[in-house]
């Protein structure tokens, strides 16, 4: 019998990058309208001020603030109305003493004015403006560069583009972004028992699950080039993996990673051009029989066939690797709660325990979900997981725990 020599989970990323340093992200330019969810590979700096001119934040009149001192309902301040500023136009007007100019919200403040009086506090008598309230310097005005100053870093390398980010970038006239090129993935499900959606179900067969769950999980981080089902035949798997390494950056092989007689992944990787297996087992539960290897500069994962184990390994190894390469680790994607039951773990192996949460008396209660790794309903029953380090034997009921979202 072949026993797996496991690698500590904390060593995986460093080992992968040592073996395949070229994995570190490559740059490409992306149009702003296509940038949602993409990850910046460079800092974005403003090359202009926002706003680019002193701008009114109200509908009203531009005046010199000192000339409104003492104005009240009974004793208004008087100004001569000298026209208006049109929206979207450069104001050539220069405000002189005792003058007022109408300015709508968002329009440019004329030179010489330092405040805006809201129209609600004004009264008009022919060409004379009566102001019934004093205003202070720069009241109701957004000054040039108040929002963004030229040279400011707007978004940092590793930022994930959101709709809000897109709005800011559009305001700066930035319509192309330097982003990390998305990784290309291939997913291969192996097993004589696995059938696809076009195959007729027979007793003893298992419908393919992993290619669907993995391909959807990948969408955030890369492009799924293909997903295929391959029967347990060494030459067939070898040929399919060889093709996939030509088309993809990362190949995920679901099933075929343990030490059984029909688990071909390790042998397949070794037969590839520049093939090397450098991890054959990880010190985690579930997911121990995970293989990691390469074909030259292409990364290959042999994931467990059980759906829960496969997704756990994807989340804690593949996903975290890509987040690290993209500088976008979601470090705040967790919350705390109180454990509802005593929880056992396996010393020497980092345990990832599926949970769901309930709320009782305004407190988050964390309920461990127990079941065999082949039970597909564990995925729908759970909404996160907790991590028990390899150096502890378990946690007691009532312990405060950190819960990671999927």
């Amino acid at each position: 019998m072949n026993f797996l020599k496991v690698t500590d989970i904390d060593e995986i990323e460093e080992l992968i990058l040592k073996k395949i340093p070229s994995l570190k992200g490559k740059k490409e330019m992306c149009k702003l309208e296509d940038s949602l969810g993409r990850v910046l590979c460079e800092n974005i700096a403003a090359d202009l001020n926002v706003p680019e001119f002193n701008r009114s934040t109200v509908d009203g009149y531009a005046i010199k603030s000192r000339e409104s001192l003492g104005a009240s309902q009974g004793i208004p301040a008087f100004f001569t109305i000298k026209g208006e500023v049109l929206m979207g136009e450069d104001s050539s007007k220069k405000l002189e003493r005792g003058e007022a100019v109408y300015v709508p919200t968002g329009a440019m403040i004329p030179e010489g004015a330092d405040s805006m009086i809201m129209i609600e506090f004004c009264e008009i008598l022919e060409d004379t403006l009566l102001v019934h309230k004093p205003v202070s310097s720069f009241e109701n005005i957004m000054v040039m560069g108040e929002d963004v100053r030229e040279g400011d870093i707007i978004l940092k390398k590793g930022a994930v583009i959101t709709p809000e980010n897109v709005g800011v970038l559009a305001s700066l006239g930035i319509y192309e972004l330097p982003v990390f090129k998305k990784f290309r993935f291939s997913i291969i499900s192996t097993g004589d028992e696995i059938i696809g959606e076009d195959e007729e179900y027979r007793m003893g067969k298992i419908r393919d699950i992993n290619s669907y769950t993995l391909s959807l999980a990948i969408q955030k981080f890369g492009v799924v080039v293909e997903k295929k089902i391959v029967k347990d035949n060494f030459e067939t798997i070898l040929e399919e993996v060889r093709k996939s390494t030509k088309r993809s950056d990362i190949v995920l092989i679901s099933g075929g990673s343990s030490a059984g007689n029909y688990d071909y992944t390790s042998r397949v990787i070794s037969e590839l051009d520049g093939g090397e297996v450098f991890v054959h087992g990880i010190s985690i539960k579930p997911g121990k029989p995970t293989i990691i290897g390469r074909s030259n500069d292409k990364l290959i994962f042999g994931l467990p066939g059980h759906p829960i184990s496969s997704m756990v390994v994807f989340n804690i190894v593949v996903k975290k690797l890509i987040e690290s390469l993209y500088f976008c680790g979601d470090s705040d994607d967790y919350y705390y709660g109180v454990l509802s039951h005593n929880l056992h773990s396996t010393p020497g192996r980092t345990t990832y325990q599926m949970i769901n949460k309930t709320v009782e008396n305004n407190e988050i209660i964390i309920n461990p979900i127990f079941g065999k790794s082949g039970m597909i309903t564990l995925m729908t029953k759970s909404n996160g997981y907790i991590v028990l380090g390899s150096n502890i034997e378990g946690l007691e009921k009532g312990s405060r725990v950190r819960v990671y979202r999927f």
Side-chain angles (χ1 to χ4, degrees), residues 64 67 78-81 96-100:
K64 297 179 184 292
E67 295 178 353
F78 293 85
F79 297 85
T80 301
I81 299 174
E96 302 294 344
R97 182 177 179 181
E99 293 181 341

Side-chain angles (χ1 to χ4, degrees), residues 218-272:
I218 286 164
Q219 287 182 3
K220 178 180 176 181
F221 304 102
V223 177
V224 178
V225 175
E226 60 188 1
K227 55 187 180 77
K228 291 205 171 183
I229 298 173
V230 180
K231 303 305 178 183
D232 273 330
N233 176 277
F234 177 78
E235 294 297 334
T236 305
I237 298 173
L238 176 60
E239 181 60 24
E240 204 56 57
V241 175
R242 185 177 281 128
K243 290 178 183 177
S244 295
T245 56
K246 293 178 181 178
R247 293 190 283 259
S248 303
D249 306 298
I250 300 174
V251 179
L252 305 180
I253 305 172
S254 172
S257 64
S258 65
N261 291 335
Y262 293 98
D263 296 318
Y264 295 126
T265 302
S266 182
R267 288 174 53 200
V268 164
I269 295 173
S270 298
E271 287 287 326
L272 297 170

Side-chain angles (χ1 to χ4, degrees), residues 35-280:
S35 66
L36 187 65
R38 299 300 296 269
V39 182
L40 288 177
C41 66
E42 296 176 2
N43 291 341
I44 300 292
D47 58 2
L48 50 83
N49 293 305
V50 178
E52 296 181 75
F53 49 85
N54 290 352
R55 186 170 66 193
S56 175
T57 61
V58 298
D59 289 336
Y61 288 85
I63 61 174
K64 297 179 184 292
S65 60
R66 66 176 179 273
E67 295 178 353
S68 69
L69 294 177
S72 67
Q73 192 66 37
I75 307 176
F78 293 85
F79 297 85
T80 301
I81 299 174
K82 289 293 184 179
E84 64 179 344
V85 175
L86 299 178
M87 284 292 296
E89 293 190 5
D90 187 356
S91 174
S92 59
K93 299 181 183 299
K94 183 175 181 179
L95 206 67
E96 302 294 344
R97 182 177 179 181
E99 293 181 341
V101 172
Y102 176 76
V103 182
T105 302
M108 182 183 290
I109 303 296
E111 184 182 348
D114 71 342
S115 62
M116 285 288 301
I117 179 70
M118 294 174 66
I119 199 167
E120 291 89 335
F121 301 109
C122 299
E123 185 180 351
I124 299 173
L125 296 176
E126 296 183 350
D127 62 350
T128 301
L129 180 73
L130 281 66
V131 172
H132 297 286
K133 178 181 179 294
V135 287
S136 58
S137 182
F138 295 105
E139 186 171 340
N140 300 321
I141 290 178
M142 182 176 284
V143 300
M144 181 177 69
E146 183 176 338
D147 195 359
V148 177
R149 287 194 174 276
E150 183 178 354
D152 284 352
I153 300 298
I154 304 304
L155 291 172
K156 293 184 178 181
K157 178 179 181 178
V160 179
I161 301 301
T162 65
E164 294 79 10
N165 295 154
V166 169
V168 172
L169 294 166
S171 75
L172 293 165
I174 298 173
Y175 302 111
E176 274 200 332
L177 305 175
V179 297
F180 284 108
K181 188 174 183 180
K182 284 194 172 186
F183 287 103
R184 296 167 298 168
F185 286 81
S186 288
I187 303 170
I188 302 172
S189 292
T190 66
D192 290 335
E193 76 282 11
I194 305 298
I195 60 171
E197 60 183 286
D198 297 327
E199 297 181 69
E200 183 180 355
Y201 176 79
R202 301 196 312 273
M203 189 63 67
K205 296 296 183 181
I206 299 174
R207 293 183 178 90
D208 179 33
I209 298 171
N210 291 346
S211 68
Y212 292 95
T213 55
L214 290 170
S215 63
L216 291 176
I218 286 164
Q219 287 182 3
K220 178 180 176 181
F221 304 102
V223 177
V224 178
V225 175
E226 60 188 1
K227 55 187 180 77
K228 291 205 171 183
I229 298 173
V230 180
K231 303 305 178 183
D232 273 330
N233 176 277
F234 177 78
E235 294 297 334
T236 305
I237 298 173
L238 176 60
E239 181 60 24
E240 204 56 57
V241 175
R242 185 177 281 128
K243 290 178 183 177
S244 295
T245 56
K246 293 178 181 178
R247 293 190 283 259
S248 303
D249 306 298
I250 300 174
V251 179
L252 305 180
I253 305 172
S254 172
S257 64
S258 65
N261 291 335
Y262 293 98
D263 296 318
Y264 295 126
T265 302
S266 182
R267 288 174 53 200
V268 164
I269 295 173
S270 298
E271 287 287 326
L272 297 170
D273 182 31
E276 177 190 4
V277 174
F278 50 85
V279 173
H280 201 159

